[in-house]
Amino acid sequence: MDKDLAYVLVGEEQIYQRVEELGKLITRDYEGKEPLFVGILKGSFIFMADLVRAIELHSQMDFMAVSSYGNKSVTTGAVKIQKDLSEDIEGQDVIIVEDILDSGVTLSYLTKYLCNRNPASIRIVTLLDKPSRRIADVTADYVGFEVPDAFVVGYGLDYAQKYRSLPYIGVLKPEIYTD
Ligand code: IMP
Ligand code: MG
């Protein structure tokens, strides 16, 4: 285990099993459709790579990069789009792929932003959900794991751009971050 972690919260095997389950659910729910997966960079890249391989459907992929403006505890906090989609989404069945749903500010903004482009449908799949921290009214349609209010890293998630490549999800030792 990485020396900066207090403990492993979700192990590799547990992640693998759950991603397979999510893949089966999405395959069933989108039968006969060709969904467009929209990965939110950078955090979702590992999850998305595993998830789409667990789904037995033709699909399309696109990515967005966003960053929160200023203080995250401000409910009205807008989100800055750093990289927008490459293609039009009108009439498409969009599935937003996120690493973690925390305050919900990012996904509540993004969902409205993408809704304005008239997709056929929009759903959210998130690997992790921290419901105790929610301030914006948003729920995910598919959740990998509900997690407690602790700062987690690994499997795509970072702290200061580090730890993304850990193959499991761990809780960082509090002395590593100053929040
Ligand atoms: P929200 O707008 O507060 O829901 O922010 C979600 C984003 O914050 C995620 O996409 C992550 O990039 C980041 N984030 C929130 N909690 C954590 C965490 O525990 N570890 C790593 N990143 C996190
Ligand atoms: Mg993110």
Side-chain angles (χ1 to χ4, degrees), residues 29-48:
D29 293 353
Y30 285 80
E31 196 191 335
K33 294 183 176 163
E34 189 171 327
L36 167 68
F37 292 96
V38 173
I40 309 307
L41 296 172
K42 302 171 192 166
S44 72
F45 82 108
I46 293 179
F47 174 47
M48 178 147 153

PDB file of all heavy atoms in Angstrom, residues 29-48:
ATOM      1  N   ASP A  29     -30.345  -1.894 -19.482  1.00  0.00           N
ATOM      2  CA  ASP A  29     -31.179  -0.688 -19.575  1.00  0.00           C
ATOM      3  C   ASP A  29     -31.122  -0.021 -20.951  1.00  0.00           C
ATOM      4  O   ASP A  29     -32.043   0.696 -21.325  1.00  0.00           O
ATOM      5  CB  ASP A  29     -30.760   0.340 -18.514  1.00  0.00           C
ATOM      6  CG  ASP A  29     -31.070  -0.139 -17.102  1.00  0.00           C
ATOM      7  OD1 ASP A  29     -31.722  -1.194 -16.961  1.00  0.00           O
ATOM      8  OD2 ASP A  29     -30.652   0.542 -16.142  1.00  0.00           O
ATOM      9  N   TYR A  30     -30.040  -0.199 -21.668  1.00  0.00           N
ATOM     10  CA  TYR A  30     -29.863   0.482 -22.961  1.00  0.00           C
ATOM     11  C   TYR A  30     -29.939  -0.477 -24.147  1.00  0.00           C
ATOM     12  O   TYR A  30     -29.466  -0.153 -25.229  1.00  0.00           O
ATOM     13  CB  TYR A  30     -28.542   1.273 -22.965  1.00  0.00           C
ATOM     14  CG  TYR A  30     -28.629   2.536 -22.136  1.00  0.00           C
ATOM     15  CD1 TYR A  30     -28.499   2.476 -20.754  1.00  0.00           C
ATOM     16  CD2 TYR A  30     -28.871   3.775 -22.725  1.00  0.00           C
ATOM     17  CE1 TYR A  30     -28.599   3.620 -19.974  1.00  0.00           C
ATOM     18  CE2 TYR A  30     -28.976   4.924 -21.960  1.00  0.00           C
ATOM     19  CZ  TYR A  30     -28.841   4.843 -20.579  1.00  0.00           C
ATOM     20  OH  TYR A  30     -28.946   5.988 -19.818  1.00  0.00           O
ATOM     21  N   GLU A  31     -30.562  -1.627 -23.924  1.00  0.00           N
ATOM     22  CA  GLU A  31     -30.682  -2.608 -25.005  1.00  0.00           C
ATOM     23  C   GLU A  31     -31.312  -1.975 -26.256  1.00  0.00           C
ATOM     24  O   GLU A  31     -32.311  -1.255 -26.161  1.00  0.00           O
ATOM     25  CB  GLU A  31     -31.562  -3.774 -24.530  1.00  0.00           C
ATOM     26  CG  GLU A  31     -31.435  -4.986 -25.418  1.00  0.00           C
ATOM     27  CD  GLU A  31     -32.500  -6.038 -25.115  1.00  0.00           C
ATOM     28  OE1 GLU A  31     -33.014  -6.078 -23.978  1.00  0.00           O
ATOM     29  OE2 GLU A  31     -32.814  -6.800 -26.040  1.00  0.00           O
ATOM     30  N   GLY A  32     -30.695  -2.186 -27.401  1.00  0.00           N
ATOM     31  CA  GLY A  32     -31.222  -1.620 -28.647  1.00  0.00           C
ATOM     32  C   GLY A  32     -30.811  -0.178 -28.895  1.00  0.00           C
ATOM     33  O   GLY A  32     -31.154   0.407 -29.913  1.00  0.00           O
ATOM     34  N   LYS A  33     -30.091   0.413 -27.940  1.00  0.00           N
ATOM     35  CA  LYS A  33     -29.637   1.802 -28.092  1.00  0.00           C
ATOM     36  C   LYS A  33     -28.121   1.844 -28.242  1.00  0.00           C
ATOM     37  O   LYS A  33     -27.436   0.843 -28.018  1.00  0.00           O
ATOM     38  CB  LYS A  33     -30.060   2.630 -26.876  1.00  0.00           C
ATOM     39  CG  LYS A  33     -31.562   2.757 -26.790  1.00  0.00           C
ATOM     40  CD  LYS A  33     -31.991   3.625 -25.631  1.00  0.00           C
ATOM     41  CE  LYS A  33     -33.507   3.804 -25.660  1.00  0.00           C
ATOM     42  NZ  LYS A  33     -34.011   4.290 -24.377  1.00  0.00           N
ATOM     43  N   GLU A  34     -27.629   3.016 -28.609  1.00  0.00           N
ATOM     44  CA  GLU A  34     -26.185   3.208 -28.756  1.00  0.00           C
ATOM     45  C   GLU A  34     -25.791   4.429 -27.944  1.00  0.00           C
ATOM     46  O   GLU A  34     -25.733   5.545 -28.468  1.00  0.00           O
ATOM     47  CB  GLU A  34     -25.837   3.385 -30.247  1.00  0.00           C
ATOM     48  CG  GLU A  34     -24.358   3.386 -30.517  1.00  0.00           C
ATOM     49  CD  GLU A  34     -24.040   3.332 -32.015  1.00  0.00           C
ATOM     50  OE1 GLU A  34     -24.788   2.703 -32.794  1.00  0.00           O
ATOM     51  OE2 GLU A  34     -23.023   3.929 -32.395  1.00  0.00           O
ATOM     52  N   PRO A  35     -25.595   4.248 -26.629  1.00  0.00           N
ATOM     53  CA  PRO A  35     -25.362   5.411 -25.778  1.00  0.00           C
ATOM     54  C   PRO A  35     -24.040   6.122 -26.076  1.00  0.00           C
ATOM     55  O   PRO A  35     -23.105   5.533 -26.607  1.00  0.00           O
ATOM     56  CB  PRO A  35     -25.347   4.819 -24.365  1.00  0.00           C
ATOM     57  CG  PRO A  35     -25.042   3.376 -24.531  1.00  0.00           C
ATOM     58  CD  PRO A  35     -25.583   2.981 -25.866  1.00  0.00           C
ATOM     59  N   LEU A  36     -24.024   7.385 -25.697  1.00  0.00           N
ATOM     60  CA  LEU A  36     -22.797   8.190 -25.782  1.00  0.00           C
ATOM     61  C   LEU A  36     -22.283   8.401 -24.360  1.00  0.00           C
ATOM     62  O   LEU A  36     -22.954   9.030 -23.527  1.00  0.00           O
ATOM     63  CB  LEU A  36     -23.100   9.551 -26.424  1.00  0.00           C
ATOM     64  CG  LEU A  36     -22.001  10.608 -26.297  1.00  0.00           C
ATOM     65  CD1 LEU A  36     -20.772  10.223 -27.122  1.00  0.00           C
ATOM     66  CD2 LEU A  36     -22.512  11.988 -26.736  1.00  0.00           C
ATOM     67  N   PHE A  37     -21.128   7.834 -24.068  1.00  0.00           N
ATOM     68  CA  PHE A  37     -20.514   8.021 -22.751  1.00  0.00           C
ATOM     69  C   PHE A  37     -19.705   9.312 -22.752  1.00  0.00           C
ATOM     70  O   PHE A  37     -18.860   9.514 -23.630  1.00  0.00           O
ATOM     71  CB  PHE A  37     -19.604   6.839 -22.407  1.00  0.00           C
ATOM     72  CG  PHE A  37     -20.371   5.575 -22.189  1.00  0.00           C
ATOM     73  CD1 PHE A  37     -20.529   4.654 -23.215  1.00  0.00           C
ATOM     74  CD2 PHE A  37     -20.984   5.313 -20.969  1.00  0.00           C
ATOM     75  CE1 PHE A  37     -21.274   3.501 -23.036  1.00  0.00           C
ATOM     76  CE2 PHE A  37     -21.723   4.158 -20.769  1.00  0.00           C
ATOM     77  CZ  PHE A  37     -21.868   3.251 -21.810  1.00  0.00           C
ATOM     78  N   VAL A  38     -19.984  10.158 -21.777  1.00  0.00           N
ATOM     79  CA  VAL A  38     -19.247  11.415 -21.654  1.00  0.00           C
ATOM     80  C   VAL A  38     -18.428  11.350 -20.367  1.00  0.00           C
ATOM     81  O   VAL A  38     -18.965  11.476 -19.266  1.00  0.00           O
ATOM     82  CB  VAL A  38     -20.208  12.625 -21.635  1.00  0.00           C
ATOM     83  CG1 VAL A  38     -19.441  13.904 -21.321  1.00  0.00           C
ATOM     84  CG2 VAL A  38     -20.939  12.754 -22.967  1.00  0.00           C
ATOM     85  N   GLY A  39     -17.153  11.120 -20.512  1.00  0.00           N
ATOM     86  CA  GLY A  39     -16.261  11.026 -19.356  1.00  0.00           C
ATOM     87  C   GLY A  39     -15.820  12.404 -18.909  1.00  0.00           C
ATOM     88  O   GLY A  39     -15.462  13.245 -19.733  1.00  0.00           O
ATOM     89  N   ILE A  40     -15.870  12.624 -17.596  1.00  0.00           N
ATOM     90  CA  ILE A  40     -15.432  13.910 -17.055  1.00  0.00           C
ATOM     91  C   ILE A  40     -13.970  13.760 -16.621  1.00  0.00           C
ATOM     92  O   ILE A  40     -13.660  13.017 -15.681  1.00  0.00           O
ATOM     93  CB  ILE A  40     -16.327  14.355 -15.867  1.00  0.00           C
ATOM     94  CG1 ILE A  40     -17.822  14.289 -16.255  1.00  0.00           C
ATOM     95  CG2 ILE A  40     -15.938  15.760 -15.419  1.00  0.00           C
ATOM     96  CD1 ILE A  40     -18.199  15.041 -17.522  1.00  0.00           C
ATOM     97  N   LEU A  41     -13.121  14.448 -17.367  1.00  0.00           N
ATOM     98  CA  LEU A  41     -11.673  14.360 -17.128  1.00  0.00           C
ATOM     99  C   LEU A  41     -11.265  15.171 -15.901  1.00  0.00           C
ATOM    100  O   LEU A  41     -11.916  16.155 -15.595  1.00  0.00           O
ATOM    101  CB  LEU A  41     -10.926  14.893 -18.349  1.00  0.00           C
ATOM    102  CG  LEU A  41     -11.142  14.081 -19.641  1.00  0.00           C
ATOM    103  CD1 LEU A  41     -10.528  14.813 -20.831  1.00  0.00           C
ATOM    104  CD2 LEU A  41     -10.532  12.691 -19.497  1.00  0.00           C
ATOM    105  N   LYS A  42     -10.187  14.796 -15.232  1.00  0.00           N
ATOM    106  CA  LYS A  42      -9.437  13.618 -15.574  1.00  0.00           C
ATOM    107  C   LYS A  42      -9.890  12.410 -14.775  1.00  0.00           C
ATOM    108  O   LYS A  42      -9.597  11.265 -15.142  1.00  0.00           O
ATOM    109  CB  LYS A  42      -7.951  13.863 -15.242  1.00  0.00           C
ATOM    110  CG  LYS A  42      -7.360  15.050 -15.958  1.00  0.00           C
ATOM    111  CD  LYS A  42      -5.948  15.348 -15.402  1.00  0.00           C
ATOM    112  CE  LYS A  42      -5.449  16.682 -15.865  1.00  0.00           C
ATOM    113  NZ  LYS A  42      -4.284  17.134 -15.098  1.00  0.00           N
ATOM    114  N   GLY A  43     -10.570  12.660 -13.651  1.00  0.00           N
ATOM    115  CA  GLY A  43     -10.835  11.631 -12.653  1.00  0.00           C
ATOM    116  C   GLY A  43     -11.498  10.355 -13.133  1.00  0.00           C
ATOM    117  O   GLY A  43     -11.294   9.291 -12.557  1.00  0.00           O
ATOM    118  N   SER A  44     -12.321  10.458 -14.206  1.00  0.00           N
ATOM    119  CA  SER A  44     -13.119   9.292 -14.605  1.00  0.00           C
ATOM    120  C   SER A  44     -12.411   8.375 -15.601  1.00  0.00           C
ATOM    121  O   SER A  44     -12.988   7.373 -16.011  1.00  0.00           O
ATOM    122  CB  SER A  44     -14.442   9.759 -15.214  1.00  0.00           C
ATOM    123  OG  SER A  44     -14.203  10.325 -16.486  1.00  0.00           O
ATOM    124  N   PHE A  45     -11.184   8.699 -15.991  1.00  0.00           N
ATOM    125  CA  PHE A  45     -10.636   7.981 -17.159  1.00  0.00           C
ATOM    126  C   PHE A  45     -10.413   6.494 -16.928  1.00  0.00           C
ATOM    127  O   PHE A  45     -10.646   5.679 -17.835  1.00  0.00           O
ATOM    128  CB  PHE A  45      -9.371   8.684 -17.705  1.00  0.00           C
ATOM    129  CG  PHE A  45      -8.085   8.372 -16.997  1.00  0.00           C
ATOM    130  CD1 PHE A  45      -7.121   7.575 -17.603  1.00  0.00           C
ATOM    131  CD2 PHE A  45      -7.824   8.877 -15.737  1.00  0.00           C
ATOM    132  CE1 PHE A  45      -5.916   7.299 -16.964  1.00  0.00           C
ATOM    133  CE2 PHE A  45      -6.625   8.599 -15.088  1.00  0.00           C
ATOM    134  CZ  PHE A  45      -5.675   7.801 -15.696  1.00  0.00           C
ATOM    135  N   ILE A  46     -10.022   6.106 -15.744  1.00  0.00           N
ATOM    136  CA  ILE A  46      -9.769   4.679 -15.496  1.00  0.00           C
ATOM    137  C   ILE A  46     -11.104   3.928 -15.351  1.00  0.00           C
ATOM    138  O   ILE A  46     -11.315   2.867 -15.932  1.00  0.00           O
ATOM    139  CB  ILE A  46      -8.863   4.482 -14.261  1.00  0.00           C
ATOM    140  CG1 ILE A  46      -7.461   5.038 -14.591  1.00  0.00           C
ATOM    141  CG2 ILE A  46      -8.797   3.010 -13.851  1.00  0.00           C
ATOM    142  CD1 ILE A  46      -6.472   4.940 -13.451  1.00  0.00           C
ATOM    143  N   PHE A  47     -12.009   4.525 -14.590  1.00  0.00           N
ATOM    144  CA  PHE A  47     -13.338   3.942 -14.411  1.00  0.00           C
ATOM    145  C   PHE A  47     -14.030   3.775 -15.761  1.00  0.00           C
ATOM    146  O   PHE A  47     -14.586   2.713 -16.068  1.00  0.00           O
ATOM    147  CB  PHE A  47     -14.155   4.841 -13.475  1.00  0.00           C
ATOM    148  CG  PHE A  47     -15.594   4.451 -13.312  1.00  0.00           C
ATOM    149  CD1 PHE A  47     -15.965   3.133 -13.076  1.00  0.00           C
ATOM    150  CD2 PHE A  47     -16.597   5.418 -13.369  1.00  0.00           C
ATOM    151  CE1 PHE A  47     -17.306   2.781 -12.909  1.00  0.00           C
ATOM    152  CE2 PHE A  47     -17.935   5.077 -13.213  1.00  0.00           C
ATOM    153  CZ  PHE A  47     -18.287   3.765 -12.981  1.00  0.00           C
ATOM    154  N   MET A  48     -13.988   4.806 -16.586  1.00  0.00           N
ATOM    155  CA  MET A  48     -14.661   4.739 -17.890  1.00  0.00           C
ATOM    156  C   MET A  48     -14.047   3.651 -18.760  1.00  0.00           C
ATOM    157  O   MET A  48     -14.775   2.910 -19.436  1.00  0.00           O
ATOM    158  CB  MET A  48     -14.601   6.093 -18.588  1.00  0.00           C
ATOM    159  CG  MET A  48     -15.231   6.081 -19.962  1.00  0.00           C
ATOM    160  SD  MET A  48     -15.987   7.646 -20.338  1.00  0.00           S
ATOM    161  CE  MET A  48     -15.887   7.661 -22.117  1.00  0.00           C
TER     162      MET A  48
END
